[in-house]
Amino acid sequence: MTPPTSVTTPAEALDLMDISIFSNDAEMPVLDQLRREDPVHWNPASERGPGFWALTRYADVKAAAEDNTRLSSASGTQIIDRKVEGKLASLHNMDDPEHAALRKIVLPHLRAVKIKQWQDAIDESVGVLLDEAEQQDGEFDLVSTVSARLPMLVLARVLGVPAEDAPRMVDWTNRLTSSEPSEEINQGALAAAREEVMAYFEKLTELRRREPTNDIVSVLVNGEKNGEKLSWEELAAYYIVLVAAGNETTRQALTGGTIAFDKNPDAWKQLKRNPENLPAAVEEVLRWVTPLAAMRRTALEPLTIGDKQIETGDKVVLWFSAANKDPDVFEEPHSFRFDRTPNDHLTFGWGIHFCLGAHLARAELRSYFGEALRRGLRFQVVGDPVRVHHNIFRGWTQLPVRVEQV
């Protein structure tokens, strides 16, 4: 199927469940057209999933993310009816006050000041992966060699998973999140992956109850919600979501950032000369990539967004990838500006569901790109990037690169 473009397809006919738009790296012109012509767009139901309202303006997306009393997460946050945790209830698919009670157990341990305690582990993981990259003989795949492994190496340390089991985390996250929206879900395979994660963390849970250490599993198993310890079902849902979601932002931002710097080699050279701009560069990578492209909500009551009437029960999808390219907020939004300021992107969401791992992801990306700069490395893209066949995640499954000294 040829993906629709802003030239040939009327806005009302655009279908954001046509996954080819995304896998062909053609969604930005489509989202731009919707923002201009139909910013609160009704995407009809089809065999791919239920209908939904698509929000593409920055102001609408931010307001909807903040409106947790009228727009609920409890009925699922993926565009189609899919919950990676199965019948369990996770933070992603939950509203306050239960959401707040569970979130506050971990939140203090993932604030910026707390992330510093894991900085050595982050830097060590980055060093190991860049050592391997430098030892590659010619062309190699950045995703499988570096991007997919870094967040799982770090998350393993943060959760308290032994280093030798970190590769299993990569396998689990791939299996939990790989099924694409346009295909029927292999429920058996998804359930098998969940069972493996739960069996592993059940043993780790018992160990940390007896011998708590300075890790998130210890925090969870010894934490309390409303004065009571978490049930096994609450813990299991937490573990599954941490494994599934603790990977995508860093993985895709690292890969997409490499593509952005390859397309803009002067930006990499200027950043090498002015490394104090690294924090701004990481924020621009996060905006430019927007790894989590969209999240869904369900209307709990009638409301108006723009000039459209949303009815109770309607699905509303917040397109963060479109909001982050809104020209009303970002000058030349499709340009990659490594020193862009201000940069109030919505990559980590907004409101009560703001990403728990935002500070950890930022620390990983700063460490990675900073160490590559310090070593004088440049990753040259030597083949066509392969996009994920997905409209929820904006990412890549393969990126052929070669390491150069600069």
Side-chain angles (χ1 to χ4, degrees), residues 198-247:
M198 290 166 66
Y200 181 90
F201 278 96
E202 187 172 19
K203 293 179 181 177
L204 190 58
T205 293
E206 293 307 314
L207 177 62
R208 291 295 182 259
R209 280 203 175 106
R210 297 192 306 270
E211 303 172 12
T213 59
N214 187 29
D215 57 49
I216 293 298
V217 170
S218 296
V219 169
L220 284 169
V221 300
N222 295 292
E224 294 184 349
K225 183 189 78 171
N226 301 325
E228 296 184 359
K229 298 288 187 184
L230 299 188
S231 67
W232 167 243
E233 288 74 18
E234 290 170 326
L235 288 171
Y238 233 128
Y239 297 145
I240 291 168
V241 168
L242 286 170
V243 170
N247 156 69

Side-chain angles (χ1 to χ4, degrees), residues 38-93:
D38 192 17
V40 185
H41 167 77
W42 177 249
N43 211 92
S46 70
E47 69 278 1
R48 303 184 186 101
F52 57 87
W53 295 100
L55 309 185
T56 48
R57 288 186 298 214
Y58 181 98
D60 291 338
V61 170
K62 185 176 180 180
E66 198 167 28
D67 191 359
N68 60 286
T69 59
R70 296 189 298 173
L71 292 170
S72 168
S73 297
S75 295
T77 55
Q78 294 199 35
I79 296 177
I80 56 177
D81 291 317
R82 175 185 303 170
K83 293 183 179 181
V84 70
E85 71 272 24
K87 294 181 180 179
L88 301 172
S90 76
L91 284 174
H92 278 188
N93 303 305

Side-chain angles (χ1 to χ4, degrees), residues 149-328:
R149 294 169 63 199
L150 176 59
M152 289 297 101
L153 286 174
V154 173
L155 187 62
R157 297 285 288 272
V158 170
L159 289 175
V161 172
E164 61 268 22
D165 290 335
R168 298 176 70 180
M169 303 256 300
V170 178
D171 174 59
W172 287 331
T173 192
N174 286 339
R175 289 160 61 197
L176 287 169
T177 62
S178 63
S179 52
E180 61 190 62
S182 61
E183 292 184 351
E184 185 175 348
I185 304 167
N186 186 332
Q187 295 288 359
L190 192 57
R194 278 198 300 267
E195 289 298 324
E196 287 181 35
V197 174
M198 290 166 66
Y200 181 90
F201 278 96
E202 187 172 19
K203 293 179 181 177
L204 190 58
T205 293
E206 293 307 314
L207 177 62
R208 291 295 182 259
R209 280 203 175 106
R210 297 192 306 270
E211 303 172 12
T213 59
N214 187 29
D215 57 49
I216 293 298
V217 170
S218 296
V219 169
L220 284 169
V221 300
N222 295 292
E224 294 184 349
K225 183 189 78 171
N226 301 325
E228 296 184 359
K229 298 288 187 184
L230 299 188
S231 67
W232 167 243
E233 288 74 18
E234 290 170 326
L235 288 171
Y238 233 128
Y239 297 145
I240 291 168
V241 168
L242 286 170
V243 170
N247 156 69
E248 290 295 338
T249 298
T250 299
R251 174 179 184 159
Q252 308 305 354
L254 195 157
T255 306
T258 299
I259 295 170
F261 281 117
D262 182 74
K263 291 181 176 179
N264 300 273
D266 286 344
W268 189 249
K269 292 176 184 176
Q270 291 181 52
L271 189 56
K272 184 173 174 57
R273 290 194 294 268
N274 302 283
E276 67 275 9
N277 285 324
L278 179 61
V282 166
E283 296 307 309
E284 180 67 346
V285 166
L286 289 164
R287 181 197 72 88
W288 193 81
V289 177
T290 315
L292 182 59
M295 293 283 276
R296 194 183 77 176
R297 302 288 188 264
T298 301
L300 297 179
E301 61 183 74
L303 67 152
T304 302
I305 302 178
D307 61 353
K308 303 293 176 64
Q309 180 64 35
I310 315 301
E311 301 299 337
T312 301
D314 282 359
K315 307 300 181 184
V316 179
V317 175
L318 289 56
W319 288 91
F320 298 113
S321 56
N324 280 346
K325 301 293 171 59
D326 189 336
D328 287 344

